[in-house]
Amino acid sequence: MPLRGLRKIIVLTDLHFMPEGGRIGHLDPAARFRAVLGHALTHQSDAERIIITGDLAHHGRAEEYARLRAALADCPLPVHLTLGNHDRRAAFRAAFPGAPCDDAGFVQQVIDSGDVRLILLDTLDEDAAIEHSGRLCAERLDFLQSALAGAGGRRVVIFMHHPPVDVGFDAMDAIGLADKEAFRATLARHGAVSQIVAGHVHRTIHGSVAGIPVSVLKSPCHQSPMMGPGTDTHASVDEPGAYGIVWLHDGGVIVHSEDVDVPHRRLLSYA
């Protein structure tokens, strides 16, 4: 039976835009982003919007955000942005002055889409004691508390950069979200959250927090390998770029991950 009330959201994370000519290894983040975005717009043309969950720029520089703004200029869908550990809030807001922010200046917003409330959280900690770790401070948790309390019976999907769970990679968990327990406690006061979508790890991973499913998505650019003990956070592999597709339907939420430009991909028949 077909899913009823189906709507799609395209999700990208960890773009890592660099200045002109910049590379991560031998990969051009801007070229990879354009390829992934083009694939998503072609094959998911019925999507209602795009959400990008941070690490928009690699160094948080004005030129990098300008290149991203240009790459999004002709996008036919609404695009909603929030920030990750590689971003810098002032440079982002200068390049995207119309991007919604909360009263404290954090790049956070609430989007009501039918019977679903989408909450975008800003986990950037520019003063982090552990570089690249994330935080949801008291002000940001107050924003989340208010957004959850005002959901009005809607189901809620939360989008954020740092996953609110440990993923089992020592190196990445060391630069994960601080104060996970405060986030968990905020969720526990409300029963409306159906799904959390995050990035940061550059790998497809699934878990849960407070009984809520968590999906971590891959990057359009470089991916993380399986990280054993002693693996550096910068370890990366040249696997296909990818994006996420969040399906909202009358019965719940489904999250897909779609790889782009997979070598030798062809349809097979098992008849």
Side-chain angles (χ1 to χ4, degrees):
M1 180 180 295
L3 296 174
R4 295 192 303 169
L6 181 63
R7 308 193 308 283
K8 291 182 184 178
I9 298 172
I10 296 167
V11 185
L12 298 109
T13 189
D14 297 277
L15 314 184
H16 289 270
F17 263 71
M18 299 185 78
E20 185 72 38
R23 296 290 187 274
I24 295 176
H26 64 281
L27 302 178
D28 178 350
R32 297 272 288 206
F33 173 76
R34 288 192 294 269
V36 168
L37 179 63
H39 186 284
L41 292 174
T42 298
H43 296 280
Q44 313 300 332
S45 59
D46 56 344
E48 69 175 37
R49 66 186 73 248
I50 296 172
I51 294 176
I52 307 181
T53 63
D55 278 6
L56 312 175
H58 192 62
H59 304 101
R61 297 173 183 165
E63 180 184 353
E64 295 167 341
Y65 291 119
R67 296 189 75 205
L68 173 58
R69 188 179 63 238
L72 292 171
D74 297 326
C75 184
L77 297 178
V79 178
H80 312 277
L81 306 168
T82 191
L83 303 184
N85 49 285
H86 279 265
D87 293 306
R88 291 296 174 264
R89 206 167 278 113
F92 167 80
R93 293 188 65 180
F96 293 90
C101 298
D102 66 14
D103 293 341
F106 295 110
V107 184
Q108 307 191 129
Q109 62 175 302
V110 171
I111 305 161
D112 287 332
S113 175
D115 65 344
V116 179
R117 168 162 283 198
L118 312 174
I119 302 176
L120 279 64
L121 298 178
D122 175 347
T123 63
L124 169 60
D125 184 0
E126 291 182 284
D127 300 315
I130 301 175
E131 187 178 17
H132 296 307
S133 62
R135 180 171 296 280
L136 289 171
C137 60
E139 290 174 307
R140 283 175 276 188
L141 288 173
D142 285 346
F143 172 89
L144 174 61
Q145 169 78 18
S146 177
L148 292 171
R154 296 180 180 89
R155 293 172 293 144
V156 173
V157 181
I158 295 174
F159 299 85
M160 56 199 300
H161 183 72
H162 292 80
V165 295
D166 287 342
V167 299
F169 294 167
D170 292 346
M172 295 306 300
D173 291 338
I175 61 168
L177 182 71
D179 299 330
K180 293 185 183 71
E181 291 305 315
F183 178 73
R184 184 191 300 266
T186 303
L187 297 180
R189 289 193 286 270
H190 301 271
V193 181
S194 299
Q195 179 74 47
I196 299 170
V197 181
H200 188 50
V201 188
H202 293 239
R203 188 174 180 87
T204 305
I205 302 171
H206 302 288
S208 66
V209 58
I212 300 164
V214 177
S215 292
V216 181
L217 297 175
K218 295 165 69 174
S219 164
C221 191
H222 53 297
Q223 314 304 348
S224 291
M226 281 295 295
M227 290 186 173
T231 306
D232 185 82
T233 57
H234 297 97
S236 60
V237 290
D238 180 7
E239 292 179 351
Y243 61 95
I245 312 159
V246 175
W247 289 7
L248 309 173
H249 63 97
D250 290 351
V253 181
I254 300 172
V255 181
H256 289 262
S257 179
E258 176 70 351
D259 288 351
V260 174
D261 292 334
V262 177
H264 311 302
R265 171 180 277 184
R266 61 174 179 260
L267 297 176
L268 302 176
S269 173
Y270 288 92

